Amino acid sequence: MAGREFDEKYRYDGNDLGAACTEQKTVFKVWSPVAEQIELSLYRDGSSPAYFTKEMQQEEKGIWKLEFEESLHGVYYDYLVRIGGKDKRTADPYAVGCSCNGNRSMVVNLRLTDPPGFESDTAPVKDKEQIIYELHIKDFSYDKESGVPDAYRGKYKAFTVIGTNGNYPTCMEYLKNLGITHVHLLPFFDYASVDEAGEESQYNWGYDPLNFNVPEGSYATDVMDGTVRIRECKEMIQALHANGLRVIMDVVYNHTYKEDSWLQRMVPGYYYRYKEDGSLSDGSACGNDIAAGRAMVDNYIADSVMYWAKEYHLDGFRFDLMGLLTVELMNRIRKELDQEFGEGEKLLYGEPWRADDSPMETGTKAALKANAACLDEGIGFFSDDTRDVIKGHVFEEKEPGFVNGGTDLETKVLYAVTGWRDGGASVRPKSCRQIINYVSAHDNFTLWDKLVLTMRDGEADFSGRYEDVLAANKLAAFIYFTCQGNLFLQAGEEFARTKFGEDNSYCSVPEVNMLRWRQTVERKGLVDYYRGLISLRKKLPALCDKSSNAAKRMKEKEVLKEGVVTFRMDNRDDNGDGIWEELFVIYNAASDSCTVDLPEGRWEILADGREADCCRAMPSAGKGVSIDGKSGMMLGRKGA
Ligand code: CA
């Protein structure tokens, strides 16, 4: 069923698969070189019997087609596919709309799903820096304190509410004040694990794709009309844009919810990887691996990405388990996006790993960290090196990193500053543009929980107020905000988000996962600190520089003593100017304060453990500066 010969014979490069619908016409097209017959059925809704069925016409390259001289917008459909004399019913893998729970596809004239003004919707102008905020749609507004009307809580629509509960900024109002540049949304293509007609209290992160090109229904206010989820998803993106935020979609092309997917029913065996014994490979640890590297699999994935970018105006994509996809496919997607939208306009990054080995197609390379040198410079990957050196290993609960009691990490943490461009890790990136710096994401413990677990023995109260944990949190943030590369944070990291010690909350109740907006007030000091770091970061060419020469800005890195390191950075911009010509940075992970001698010149304090983005003259006496235990400090030297 698979193999080079099959691909050469049947590869179809048209991007008109699915049901294309305009006011005058509807064209159904699917790809199945192995089918003996395919019959189209049309339905008035998601559950009633078919009102029309007709055999499709076979064309070249395994294409089946049926054309209607009318708009079938709003009509539901599926296919009865005969392979080896056996009939199987399937939804359309290329569908752009679907019924409640996604088992029937829907014909959609996409122009009729645009909310008012969507035609002129554009992304906000690119900022100097990428500061990405990772958010789950339900987490955003499920909390009653969110101030979002009940009917919109947990929905796409929540993003259209100017979110304030009357007492303090929440939701969109809060986001736009934070200074982040991108909102990265956990999967919102149609996923299978939540009953869309069921209770609001259901919860899943959504890493279980059912219909790759349709938005998830449980985030829509009406799941019975398949156009609502499309319109409301667009409204969400439009609202984020209107508030100055770019939008990134978390995409999961490495596996499907189950092997018995629409792709499998259409062309059995083609879309998945199998081991030599014929069993499914499981590099995703989710039961199956999509066979990236085959012609029509790659076309499917690349076309899907382009579809979301064009139709939904998305500004970037985060690839789940990118290590299961191929270098060739990722580079192709980078190229297609650049050609269509301009170089680097869309962000691309992913997890450069996989859960287990997976048999790759001959002649392809896995998009793993080890192959970073083959990946385009415009494809970023999460730096587990940066994450682990700062706060400790993600799977070793009690193992600390630099900020929470780890030892012998001084040299290593200094390598993180240039995004490991100077070495220190198993892989040297082409430039820090390839690096996503972070210390927390949806997987594993929240930063706060990890710090509490490593800094408190025995019974940990995750809701407790611990000044030393708070200081370590600030220092962790200070460190990755002073590393070159792209910045990424899990929503709520900036207000000590806790999941009460749960490290895998993918299907936990929403109350464990949701953002608790009151915490933005209770932890106001921490929020202000992050806001300051974000604002300061954007002013510093030394840190925003993504060129392959950026690492050369770092000078005189020094380990002063246990837990204390310093370095200098050339902070001049392309014109050789800059408010501060040079930066001097100190990380003090020790518990005690210490005094550090400053290089020659007049220095101003730009950030310390209490305040970020300040501008304080140095106290006059002496050349030294005193820095508190568990804190960072940045100083700037103005030009002569
Ligand atoms: Ca769904």
Side-chain angles (χ1 to χ4, degrees), residues 255-296:
H255 73 277
T256 54
Y257 173 62
K258 50 183 184 183
E259 178 205 11
D260 184 20
S261 64
W262 314 144
L263 292 167
Q264 177 79 330
R265 291 188 193 182
M266 209 47 99
V267 192
Y270 181 77
Y271 290 96
Y272 295 96
R273 293 191 183 128
Y274 296 87
K275 297 183 202 160
E276 272 175 24
D277 66 3
S279 64
L280 282 166
S281 72
D282 189 17
S284 67
C286 294
N288 60 75
D289 300 338
I290 291 273
R294 294 184 186 162
M296 290 303 283

Side-chain angles (χ1 to χ4, degrees), residues 190-192 194 196 216-217:
D190 180 37
Y191 58 80
V194 162
E196 297 180 350
E216 163 61 14

Side-chain angles (χ1 to χ4, degrees), residues 448-464:
W448 180 260
D449 287 353
K450 170 75 181 180
L451 294 175
V452 170
L453 284 164
T454 46
M455 296 173 74
R456 284 288 172 282
D457 281 335
E459 200 78 347
D461 171 13
F462 295 98
S463 304

Side-chain angles (χ1 to χ4, degrees), residues 594-612:
C594 70
T595 301
V596 176
D597 285 341
L598 289 178
E600 287 299 319
R602 280 183 47 222
W603 295 89
E604 290 170 339
I605 297 175
L606 309 183
D608 60 15
R610 285 164 228 188
E611 209 181 352

Side-chain angles (χ1 to χ4, degrees), residues 374-393:
C374 306
L375 279 170
D376 187 286
E377 205 173 318
I379 295 166
F381 48 84
F382 287 94
S383 178
D384 49 347
D385 296 298
T386 299
R387 177 194 71 194
D388 292 350
V389 75
I390 294 176
K391 69 161 188 183
H393 198 280

Side-chain angles (χ1 to χ4, degrees), residues 98-102 189-196 208 210-211 215-218 229:
C98 68
S99 64
C100 175
N101 285 327
F189 52 68
D190 180 37
Y191 58 80
S193 54
V194 162
D195 175 6
E196 297 180 350
D208 48 285
L210 181 61
N211 288 293
E216 163 61 14
S218 63
R229 60 175 78 194

